[in-house]
Amino acid sequence: MPVIPLPPVAFASLPPKAAPPLERPDVIVSFKNQTADVEKQIVTYSDGVVVTFLPTMISADRVELHKAPGEEFGVATGHVKLTDPAGIVTADKLIFRWKAKTGEADNAFVESGGFKVWTAHIDIQAERTVKVVGKDGKPKDEVFPARWTLTDVSATGCSRPLPSYMFKTSSVVIEPGHGGTAYHPDFYVLGHKIIRLPTQHFSLDRRSPGIGLPTLSLNRDNLIGATWKGGLLVDSKTAFTFNASAFPGRLASGRATIARSFVPAAENSSPLVPQSEFSERFGGGYFDNIRVSSFESEELATRRPQNLIGASTFLHVTAGARNQIERFDVPLQLTAQRSFQFGGWGLLAVARADSLQPLGSSMQYRVAGQFALSPPRLRIGSNLYGVSRMDASSFVGKTGYGWVRGQAGLVFEPAKWLSMGAIYFGSSDFGVSQFEMDPLASKGGMSGRIDLKLGSTRIGYLLKYDARRRSLYDREYTFTQVVGCLEVFVDYRKFPNNYAVGVIFRTDGLFDKLRKRSIEAARQVKPLSGPDR
């Protein structure tokens, strides 16, 4: 099968045999038959045609390549298949412009990250930079992100002939790596329309959760209410996030935060939300929260690049996982947060300045500092590791107070499907606490945990023992079962009192593909050589 690399300049004629590929050719074509219109600079390939313009590959029965200056596009018809880092597309007809990196397809079927999408038409526009006139009258570059527009769309994560669920919408607009919008999607269960949803805005950027719909929730008093949380990126380094909740017989509560990161956007994959005075202190700890799926996740929390500042306001909030339920209004909380890495060690440092008003009391002010130090795991034997961590916090306001907590233990991973471990933790405090929420919920004791990952089933169980009270003060478990294209989960935490049962539509694979599309594409751009390419 001949292989023709098409150079970036217009050609006058085709060589009688395959030419050696260039180091970075615009397009490489393999084929069985060809015809050429030299005057119009159009080449038609047929029979087993494969067109490669990295990182994308197209196969079809017939492909026309137009190389006249200003045109430079191709038209593929007949069993069209496009393979890209973001997924696989089959279509009746495909138009691709390799210079502009744009294209469109008719009657397309997309498979990406375990998700299936049918669409009547796809229009793909690449990122572009346009000269615009600024407010000062001077020209400047404005970057417009890549955009995919899909019309008459049906989508599901199910592989069965009659999907358990499906979404249908007239239009979806996606900005890979950023976010997207689905306009008034209809939700179907087993082929029957259940409800038409409001226009959905979703995030494809881990730094921002996107704006979803309010959900039902169970609070620590076993009351069912509504919660709503989300956020959006103001620019590549700034994010606005919020959450709000309302429960019967309780004051509505909420938080709004604006945060800016000083880590380059390409290096930052963590949410742009600083830790607050009311966050669960050890919410990212493997032996503190059953929702943290592995000890590696805990290590990542202190090692991933973080350098941000934020301003928050709170209304009628309580602190997470504390022994008190005092409520506060916080007109302003200023936060600076930064991580450091040295040798395998991770350090996360947080500084805050707060204006705090307990409900029914006067405004109070203070500053606080907090850090978490995570040494690297120590290999003791085969699949056996020693783990440790130290946390500390100090408050200076109406009074001075602080505490230090350390933990050390073992994690044993005898198989990929099994991990278990136990740690001892102890603490010391000093000074006089300003609020009831300042002291630790438990000053010393032990925690033990076991996790089973059995194919589509995951089970986790965590126990916490308080040495001073000589009792188990917390037990937590999680159960997750993948059922086809759905994920059923049960989470329970005695302290804090949280219980959740739900079903997740498995879309993470698709979203991860779209988030990572530019990264994966860059990694696959390599020089080609050899006649078989």
Side-chain angles (χ1 to χ4, degrees), residues 285-299:
Y286 178 67
F287 288 100
D288 293 286
N289 191 333
I290 193 65
R291 293 171 183 163
V292 180
S293 60
S294 66
F295 193 80
E296 289 86 346
S297 298
E298 175 179 331
E299 293 176 314

Side-chain angles (χ1 to χ4, degrees), residues 68-148:
E71 292 188 352
E72 296 173 321
F73 69 93
V75 180
T77 54
H79 300 94
V80 180
K81 181 178 181 179
L82 180 149
T83 304
D84 183 86
I88 297 174
V89 179
T90 58
D92 291 347
K93 179 180 179 182
L94 177 68
I95 299 174
F96 54 97
R97 305 171 186 90
W98 59 88
K99 287 283 189 180
K101 297 182 179 178
T102 65
E104 53 189 289
D106 293 330
N107 297 324
F109 172 60
V110 182
E111 292 183 279
S112 180
F115 220 70
K116 298 181 178 181
V117 180
W118 295 263
T119 177
H121 187 77
I122 304 178
D123 182 79
I124 298 176
Q125 297 296 321
E127 180 179 278
R128 63 196 189 281
T129 302
V130 179
K131 287 284 186 183
V132 298
V133 179
K135 295 181 179 180
D136 57 1
K138 297 180 180 180
K140 64 176 183 178
D141 290 336
E142 184 171 346
V143 178
F144 293 87
R147 173 170 291 194
W148 302 356

Side-chain angles (χ1 to χ4, degrees), residues 216-412:
L216 295 179
S217 180
L218 186 71
N219 72 355
R220 63 193 300 171
D221 299 319
N222 296 318
L223 296 174
I224 296 177
T227 61
W228 187 29
K229 60 183 179 179
L232 53 87
L233 289 175
V234 179
D235 58 38
S236 63
K237 294 185 178 181
T238 308
F240 170 77
T241 57
F242 70 91
N243 64 45
S245 61
F247 291 87
R250 299 288 186 270
L251 294 172
S253 63
R255 169 194 60 81
T257 298
I258 185 80
R260 181 166 180 81
S261 173
F262 299 96
V263 176
E267 301 175 14
N268 187 9
S269 61
S270 57
L272 299 186
V273 183
Q275 291 188 14
S276 80
E277 188 75 75
F278 304 95
S279 302
E280 184 177 340
R281 282 178 174 141
F282 313 114
Y286 178 67
F287 288 100
D288 293 286
N289 191 333
I290 193 65
R291 293 171 183 163
V292 180
S293 60
S294 66
F295 193 80
E296 289 86 346
S297 298
E298 175 179 331
E299 293 176 314
L300 180 62
T302 57
R303 287 168 172 73
R304 64 191 179 196
Q306 297 183 63
N307 184 7
L308 59 87
I309 57 174
S312 304
T313 184
F314 299 80
L315 177 68
H316 303 156
V317 293
T318 59
R322 315 289 171 88
N323 286 325
Q324 57 75 50
I325 56 173
E326 191 175 13
R327 289 184 175 270
F328 292 83
D329 286 334
V330 184
L332 182 63
Q333 181 176 102
L334 301 176
T335 307
Q337 183 170 311
R338 186 165 187 178
S339 63
F340 303 87
Q341 298 182 51
F342 42 96
W345 292 62
L347 173 66
L348 179 63
V350 183
R352 285 189 295 267
D354 297 311
S355 57
L356 299 154
Q357 184 176 18
L359 295 191
S361 185
S362 59
M363 187 73 67
Q364 300 184 45
Y365 304 91
R366 71 176 181 183
V367 294
Q370 180 179 335
F371 77 81
L373 179 65
S374 175
R377 283 184 290 176
L378 176 64
R379 180 183 288 273
I380 298 175
S382 178
N383 302 316
L384 181 65
Y385 303 91
V387 297
S388 58
R389 172 172 167 157
M390 178 175 288
D391 294 86
S393 195
S394 178
F395 311 92
V396 178
K398 191 174 181 179
T399 63
Y401 178 73
W403 51 260
V404 178
R405 187 187 89 149
Q407 67 179 33
L410 299 172
V411 172
F412 183 45

Side-chain angles (χ1 to χ4, degrees), residues 417-458:
W417 55 270
L418 173 63
S419 64
M420 62 186 74
I423 57 102
Y424 169 82
F425 64 93
S427 68
S428 178
D429 61 355
F430 53 87
V432 178
S433 59
Q434 186 173 354
F435 301 110
E436 293 179 359
M437 69 175 178
D438 293 342
L440 294 172
S442 177
K443 294 188 176 182
M446 298 183 67
S447 296
R449 175 165 178 165
I450 184 169
D451 287 274
L452 300 173
K453 299 178 182 178
L454 307 172
S456 59
T457 304
R458 175 179 171 254

Side-chain angles (χ1 to χ4, degrees), residues 153 167-173 181-188 193 195-201:
V153 182
F167 294 95
K168 294 185 179 182
T169 177
S170 61
S171 178
V172 176
V173 178
T181 303
Y183 294 91
H184 301 291
D186 294 324
F187 179 57
Y188 287 75
K193 180 178 174 179
I195 190 173
R196 168 162 288 188
L197 300 171
T199 294
Q200 298 292 298
H201 303 280

Side-chain angles (χ1 to χ4, degrees), residues 55 84-87 112 148 175-178 204-206 269 508-524:
D84 183 86
S112 180
W148 302 356
E175 293 182 2
H178 298 281
L204 298 173
D205 194 315
R206 295 189 185 276
S269 61
D508 285 351
L510 172 64
F511 281 10
D512 282 343
K513 286 283 188 180
L514 295 175
R515 287 186 185 112
K516 299 175 182 176
R517 199 269 179 195
S518 59
I519 297 174
E520 293 178 350
R523 287 176 178 169
Q524 294 193 29

